[in-house]
Amino acid sequence: MSQRYTIRLTVNGEKIERDVEPRLLLSDFLRHELRLTGTHVGCEHGSCGACTILLDGQAVRSCIMFAVQADGHALTTIEGVAPDWTASSGPEAMHPVQIAFWEKHGLQCGYCTPGFIMTLIPFLEENPHPSDEEIIQAISGNICRCTGYQNIVAAVRRAAELMG
Amino acid sequence: MTTQLFGQPIKRNEDPRLLTGQALFTDDVKLPDMLYAAFVRSDFAHARILSIDVSGALEMPGVVAVYTAEDLGAYWQPGPLLVPPPPVPDLVFNPRMQVPLAKDKVRHVGEPIAVVVAESRYQAEDAAEQVFVEFDPLPAIVELEDALLEDAPLIHEDLDANLNAHVVQHKGDYAQAAAQARLIVKRRFLYDRGIAAAMENRGVVAAWDARAERLTMWDTTQAPVVIRNGIAAMLGLSEMQVRVIAPFIGGGFGPKIMMFYPEEVLMPWISMRLNRPVKWIEDRQENFFATTQERGQIHESEIAVAEDGRVLGVKDVFLHDAGAYAPYGLTVALNSQCTLLGQYDVPHYHTEFRSVFTNKPIVTPYRGAGRQHGVFVMERLLDLAAKELGMDRVEIRRRNLISPEKFPYNNEIIYQDFAPLVYDSGNYGPALDKALELIGYRRFIDEEQPRLRAEGRYVGLGLVTYVEGTGIGPYEGAKVTVETSGRVSVASGIGTQGQGHFTSFAQIVADQLGVGVGDVRLVTGDTAEFYWGAGTFASRGAVVAGNAINAAALAVRKKILQKASEELEIDQEDLELADGAVRVKGVPASAIKLGDLAARANPTRGAVKPGTEPGLEATDYFGPERGATASGVHAMIVEVDPETMLIDIRRYVVVHDCGRVINPMILEGQIHGGVAQGIGNAFYEQLVWDKNGQLLNASFMDYLLPTADVMPVIETDHMETPSPLNPLGIKGAGEAGAIPVGPLFAQALEDALSPLGVEILEIPLSPNRLFELVNDA
Ligand code: FES
Ligand code: FES
């Protein structure tokens, strides 16, 4: 297991080159090697969606990919969706999906939230005017144990408005 | 004039950090030189440990240490009994607590046996697989009713039976009620519950700093102060040497309470021993065994009713599954016992339970904490009695509601806070009316249901009531400080797991001090910031800590007025606090910014009067005399597909009363989440064990949590009957959403399937189970 491979990829616009073990999960690589801890893990078996990130713009579950599989790709994590946001910049600098979650109380503990947001960004880009059924379909693979989803659905409607 | 913030749906202060991935959760902590732990756990539910061979693991790359029970020496102690038994006469109580690592015997699958510490998590897990344990398997107690059989294998061999407790409580004399009754209905009820399944698993990081002689611990706990005190005592440190931080927690729901889990007790010990920081993060599969759960009860119950539907008495005798150990005392079973009578004025009640040990993971409170079981029994008994009397289900409920003039209402039996259960306030009739109106009860029963039935559709309605004992003591405290920047900091000892404390507590302070919610910065869950406290559980955060914060803010307000009255040479009554300043009423030009006043209250030169306290700061505490009783009604309309037995919830209405509401947006969120967990419990979630005590569905692939596509839109409405037990008049709301969903499903599905004649006496249900029930009918 000690053999390592060099991977080169782009994460949130930054070029990265690292040597990694082939078995290293992409979620662990992001969280523990790159210290991008906004990507959370809830199950590590592909069932909950908490670890969702964008790979070349598509939502993928980083817990069921190896870091080596991301070689040559461009990744975006929750830290990369609102590059201008800082603790002092105020919520307005967040991504519209983030703002919508804030306005509609689409999060409680916030643990599942980055995964929802990363699932929804490409969804709303492809479906700028989703129906409620489409919204529910889009988030039905992500588990939230706190909100009962109702306010998440409301947040997605609001996000569509903000982005439209 | 500033508008009042209490009662407003203010957006949450904590959200930007959470939304941008900046909030710190336990697994985000990474320290230089950190080590990683992995556990070797039992594969058997019940077995003797014959030998443990760690030599192979020690050879593995990156391994620093492997510990078994032997290595712990005097540190190997059973965990503390967290809740002592209540003062009930003739109570039998045999507490047995979990141990850090199993020594001679394992008592449930997943019980930890050894811990491996390595340079990386991957290495620790590899090495854990190289620890060889030789077991001698014993027969396992899996079914609740097997635990007390004559020849049952003993789980704790120093006891004569697998009996954890036997508790009998009375109100009035049930025999008298039974003698007078026109009708007695008896049934056997099964109520099983699942797991909390917080999206964040548990985790602990412990870092011993030998030079400073200090231990810092990040812990996914709901009660950091209690953990600090316990860990300090176990390690022989002073409490001041131990700092426990409960950072952002990804959902708690009960099992993250002050459990003194093996992992929580071992990480600090390992860090001190190896003089390096060490981290353990639970994985999802471990969470199914190593984190506590709620599970089943079996009730033999009867209700005695008069001709007119009045309930004369209830008798309920039940078995409660404690699991392999019972560190949390009798809380869950007591809640079942004490919540059963609900909103009803029942003069005679005999309630009795046996809590038994089984070879399954430990049972401790999970959102609702046994209240569900009691509410299920009572609501089902009422439905059955109504049916036999030919009475409307709403009518039988209405006839038995405790009327408003009877509050405070004494239910006499002893509650989890060791005092007789007294409901503080309530107004149940109007809430029932509101729910009937919202769900359109009469129209559904008289028109819609007959029409749909004629079309061959299976549509039913459910309507149930409940109470929730909330906001129990003992106490919480808070420190409120006006900083020279004008910002206000608030520290309290409770932890937070998504309840919005950063906002609702800020609203309380902002009102008292005339500042914006965004100017109030709250610190929770860090013992370095506040020394005292109990924790976030039993829907007590808002009630107990909220009132402590209010008291501290009020004390700061007094200091502000006093200081400003000296500075402005004007009576305190002529001053007001608004816009972050104190000023003479109606004279904005006179305003002194609170930050400036705070600076003036902390002179760095000159003299002050004797007895002067510096700054604008106060610490205060609040402890309620007893818990506050919240209440509510849930109603739903559901359609069942007779082919697949899949359900479609067409309407879901919640009318509830938790006293005065701090932030209705946050409150509604709590209700939504509770209902979702209730729906999971009622129709999707079930732990499936085989006869050897193996859990067959320990993953999110196999254990079904509700997802967005099965959730109805929840329509909520509120009543506000203030609690007289605290100055803010609030009652807790954390568990209300989850409590009555089981009996609601049972009633609604029974109604929908009534042409097929099913009777539902159990939860959880599922499409399969409905199919079986229909076939048996
Ligand atoms: S952590 Fe990746 S799907 Fe759950
Ligand atoms: S907000 Fe807690 S899991 Fe979704």
Side-chain angles (χ1 to χ4, degrees):
Chain A
M1 281 295 173
S2 56
Q3 191 181 357
R4 297 173 86 86
Y5 291 86
T6 303
I7 57 171
R8 292 176 195 83
L9 65 167
T10 310
V11 180
N12 299 332
E14 198 184 317
K15 289 207 171 359
I16 307 266
E17 182 178 320
R18 292 284 164 115
D19 290 341
V20 296
E21 268 189 278
R23 64 169 174 171
L24 180 68
L25 295 180
L26 180 56
S27 51
D28 284 343
F29 175 70
L30 292 169
R31 291 181 45 76
H32 302 305
E33 305 262 326
L34 302 186
R35 305 292 296 130
L36 293 168
T37 54
T39 300
H40 296 153
V41 294
C43 69
E44 288 182 293
H45 54 255
S47 298
C48 76
C51 63
T52 305
I53 59 160
L54 303 186
L55 181 126
D56 302 330
Q58 295 294 315
V60 298
R61 298 190 168 194
S62 61
C63 75
I64 45 171
M65 276 184 70
F66 294 113
V68 290
Q69 293 174 287
D71 187 21
H73 294 278
L75 310 187
T76 308
T77 68
I78 189 70
E79 291 89 347
V81 302
D84 295 336
W85 183 85
T86 64
S88 51
S89 65
E92 302 72 35
M94 294 191 295
H95 188 281
V97 179
Q98 293 169 316
I99 293 177
F101 268 69
W102 183 54
E103 287 183 359
K104 295 293 174 191
H105 190 33
L107 65 156
Q108 290 183 28
C109 78
Y111 197 78
C112 68
T113 314
F116 273 89
I117 291 171
M118 302 314 286
T119 304
L120 285 163
I121 289 175
F123 167 72
L124 285 169
E125 280 165 2
E126 278 167 37
N127 304 274
H129 308 290
S131 66
D132 280 3
E133 281 90 285
E134 287 169 326
I135 293 173
I136 287 168
Q137 183 64 29
I139 62 170
S140 64
N142 289 63
I143 299 175
C144 172
R145 194 56 162 161
C146 298
T147 63
Y149 306 102
Q150 190 161 332
N151 288 345
I152 296 181
V153 174
V156 185
R157 279 188 218 117
R158 176 70 181 139
E161 255 169 59
L162 290 173
M163 288 167 80
Chain B
M1 210 35 238
T2 44
T3 46
Q4 205 190 17
L5 297 164
F6 192 107
Q8 299 296 317
I10 309 270
K11 292 198 283 290
R12 301 198 321 171
N13 279 347
E14 55 268 54
D15 285 357
R17 270 184 290 169
L18 291 164
L19 285 162
T20 54
Q22 301 301 320
L24 182 86
F25 290 87
T26 300
D27 189 24
D28 303 343
V29 174
K30 188 172 190 179
L31 302 170
D33 271 341
M34 193 155 78
L35 295 167
Y36 298 82
F39 281 82
V40 178
R41 297 180 182 277
S42 174
D43 298 322
F44 292 93
H46 198 192
R48 266 180 233 299
I49 298 174
L50 300 179
S51 66
I52 307 172
D53 178 3
V54 302
S55 56
L58 283 166
E59 308 277 281
M60 293 289 288
V63 171
V64 175
V66 182
Y67 301 110
T68 64
E70 290 290 290
D71 302 309
L72 298 180
Y75 195 65
W76 189 94
Q77 293 289 338
L81 174 64
L82 298 165
V83 186
V88 172
D90 302 323
L91 169 128
V92 176
F93 184 56
N94 301 311
R96 288 297 177 276
M97 273 68 74
Q98 77 281 3
V99 295
L101 293 170
K103 209 177 235 172
D104 311 314
K105 197 176 165 182
V106 287
R107 297 181 174 87
H108 69 84
V109 170
E111 187 167 1
I113 297 170
V115 55
V116 178
V117 187
E119 298 290 343
S120 83
R121 179 173 181 165
Y122 286 60
Q123 289 172 328
E125 289 186 8
D126 288 346
E129 286 182 12
Q130 301 305 318
V131 172
F132 293 101
V133 185
E134 201 185 337
F135 293 101
D136 176 17
L138 299 166
I141 303 279
V142 182
E143 297 301 329
L144 204 36
E145 286 173 304
D146 293 347
L148 295 179
L149 293 179
E150 198 75 42
D151 57 346
L154 287 177
I155 296 172
H156 298 280
E157 285 156 27
D158 57 328
L159 295 176
D160 319 329
N162 295 311
L163 184 69
N164 167 229
H166 180 212
V167 178
V168 186
Q169 297 211 63
H170 298 283
K171 173 188 182 185
D173 174 14
Y174 177 76
Q176 196 188 318
Q180 290 167 2
R182 139 87 171 76
L183 170 74
I184 292 181
V185 180
K186 289 187 198 189
R187 289 291 189 282
R188 181 170 189 270
F189 298 101
L190 314 180
Y191 196 104
D192 198 3
R193 293 199 67 205
I195 54 167
M199 291 311 295
E200 177 200 37
N201 290 311
R202 287 185 302 119
V204 184
V205 178
W208 169 247
D209 180 338
R211 286 204 183 82
E213 295 189 313
R214 270 175 189 280
L215 175 76
T216 307
M217 223 177 130
W218 287 262
D219 187 7
T220 54
T221 179
Q222 297 171 218
V225 174
V226 183
I227 293 293
R228 187 257 335 256
N229 297 351
I231 294 293
M234 288 175 201
L235 292 169
L237 298 172
S238 103
E239 287 167 11
M240 290 296 188
Q241 286 176 283
V242 181
R243 176 182 182 190
V244 175
I245 302 168
F248 278 98
I249 306 284
F253 314 122
K256 285 182 182 163
I257 208 157
M258 64 297 227
M259 278 300 302
F260 296 96
Y261 280 106
E263 303 87 355
E264 222 166 14
V265 168
L266 288 171
M267 292 309 123
W269 181 86
I270 293 171
S271 178
M272 282 182 83
R273 198 162 166 108
L274 300 176
N275 205 8
R276 289 175 68 177
V278 59
K279 181 196 252 191
W280 168 76
I281 300 295
E282 185 181 56
D283 70 23
R284 181 54 64 185
Q285 191 182 19
E286 280 183 298
N287 182 269
F288 277 89
F289 309 108
T291 290
T292 59
Q293 337 180 314
E294 253 193 63
R295 281 195 312 274
Q297 292 179 356
I298 301 176
H299 290 248
E300 303 276 355
S301 321
E302 58 182 86
I303 189 166
V305 268
E307 181 72 52
D308 62 358
R310 261 182 322 109
V311 177
L312 303 174
V314 172
K315 179 174 174 189
D316 180 50
V317 179
F318 66 97
L319 281 175
H320 168 79
D321 182 354
Y325 304 91
Y328 215 81
L330 302 176
T331 302
V332 175
L334 271 180
N335 277 341
S336 309
Q337 186 166 62
C338 288
T339 310
L340 187 140
L341 296 182
Q343 302 190 356
Y344 309 109
D345 192 358
V346 178
H348 303 287
Y349 181 38
H350 171 100
T351 169
E352 172 174 357
F353 69 82
R354 283 181 180 77
S355 170
V356 300
F357 292 111
T358 60
N359 289 115
K360 291 193 275 188
I362 301 171
V363 167
T364 68
Y366 155 46
R367 198 177 206 168
R371 297 179 181 88
Q372 279 90 338
H373 306 73
V375 172
F376 182 71
V377 169
M378 184 67 182
E379 292 295 315
R380 289 277 66 201
L381 286 172
L382 286 172
D383 289 336
L384 292 159
K387 208 171 268 175
E388 297 226 6
L389 291 171
M391 187 178 262
D392 182 81
R393 62 190 127 174
V394 174
E395 206 38 50
I396 197 167
R397 287 176 167 78
R398 189 190 302 284
R399 268 189 207 174
N400 288 290
L401 291 180
I402 299 167
S403 54
E405 70 282 359
K406 288 206 170 173
F407 292 93
Y409 179 86
N410 190 345
N411 246 336
E412 297 174 30
I413 51 176
I414 305 289
Y415 190 46
Q416 57 156 308
D417 59 0
F418 303 161
L421 174 66
V422 177
Y423 298 173
D424 56 336
S425 64
N427 192 8
Y428 302 150
L432 178 61
D433 290 336
K434 213 171 231 191
L436 291 171
E437 187 191 313
L438 280 171
I439 200 81
Y441 184 73
R442 279 268 58 100
R443 198 166 46 82
F444 179 82
I445 298 293
D446 297 341
E447 300 163 30
E448 214 173 323
Q449 192 175 38
R451 178 173 58 77
L452 293 165
R453 273 211 184 125
E455 290 172 18
R457 291 167 63 183
Y458 294 87
V459 184
L461 183 147
L463 183 141
V464 296
T465 80
Y466 63 96
V467 297
E468 183 200 357
T470 75
I472 56 167
Y475 78 94
E476 288 297 335
K479 182 170 80 179
V480 173
T481 311
V482 179
E483 297 174 8
T484 52
S485 63
R487 291 168 63 91
V488 180
S489 76
V490 181
S492 108
I494 67 167
T496 187
Q497 308 94 39
Q499 296 91 339
H501 292 152
F502 297 89
T503 313
S504 49
F505 291 164
Q507 286 174 252
I508 293 172
V509 174
D511 272 346
Q512 289 293 5
L513 303 186
V515 298
V517 173
D519 295 324
V520 181
R521 188 175 159 273
L522 199 90
V523 187
T524 67
D526 182 347
T527 61
E529 301 275 349
F530 199 78
Y531 192 84
W532 303 98
T536 308
F537 53 87
S539 302
R540 70 191 291 280
V543 182
V544 190
N547 275 287
I549 286 167
N550 184 54
L554 198 62
V556 171
R557 180 185 174 90
K558 286 195 182 127
K559 284 191 178 179
I560 292 170
L561 290 173
Q562 190 185 339
K563 180 73 183 160
S565 114
E566 286 163 18
E567 297 275 331
L568 293 168
E569 296 178 355
I570 190 164
D571 277 356
Q572 291 188 28
E573 295 77 71
D574 297 324
L575 294 172
E576 64 181 1
L577 275 70
D579 306 328
V582 54
R583 65 193 183 201
V584 180
K585 281 179 188 158
V587 189
S590 66
I592 307 177
K593 288 210 158 60
L594 294 187
D596 295 341
L597 195 70
R600 289 191 217 177
N602 183 26
T604 51
R605 289 287 185 279
V608 296
K609 278 193 228 136
T612 303
E613 290 177 14
L616 300 175
E617 176 175 290
T619 298
D620 212 333
Y621 299 87
F622 177 76
E625 180 188 329
R626 56 176 189 268
T629 305
S631 60
V633 183
H634 287 208
M636 79 168 182
I637 294 175
V638 68
E639 175 156 14
V640 185
D641 178 331
E643 297 277 310
T644 61
M645 293 291 162
L646 288 172
I647 58 166
D648 176 22
I649 302 173
R650 296 162 49 142
R651 297 277 309 281
Y652 199 110
V653 167
V654 177
V655 177
H656 80 118
D657 187 343
C658 59
R660 290 187 63 209
V661 175
I662 308 173
N663 184 323
M665 178 189 84
I666 290 175
L667 173 63
E668 249 172 56
Q670 285 286 318
I671 301 278
H672 293 170
V675 170
Q677 292 186 4
I679 290 178
N681 178 208
F683 206 72
Y684 298 96
E685 299 176 40
Q686 183 158 30
L687 296 168
V688 182
W689 312 87
D690 74 5
K691 65 178 194 322
N692 300 316
Q694 296 287 347
L695 181 57
L696 301 180
N697 58 341
S699 83
F700 280 173
M701 296 294 284
D702 303 310
Y703 182 87
L704 286 186
L705 294 170
T707 42
D709 47 334
V710 303
M711 279 300 297
V713 172
I714 299 159
E715 306 160 53
T716 46
D717 204 341
H718 311 288
M719 308 273 304
E720 289 202 14
T721 311
S723 173
L725 300 176
N726 64 75
L728 295 175
I730 50 191
K731 302 177 176 184
E735 302 172 89
I739 290 173
V741 189
L744 182 73
F745 264 66
Q747 190 194 96
L749 291 170
E750 211 174 84
D751 188 27
L753 298 171
S754 64
L756 306 174
V758 295
E759 187 170 276
I760 296 176
L761 305 175
E762 67 193 55
I763 290 292
L765 300 161
S766 62
N768 283 352
R769 189 61 194 140
L770 281 186
F771 185 78
E772 287 169 2
L773 288 170
V774 166
N775 275 2
D776 292 349

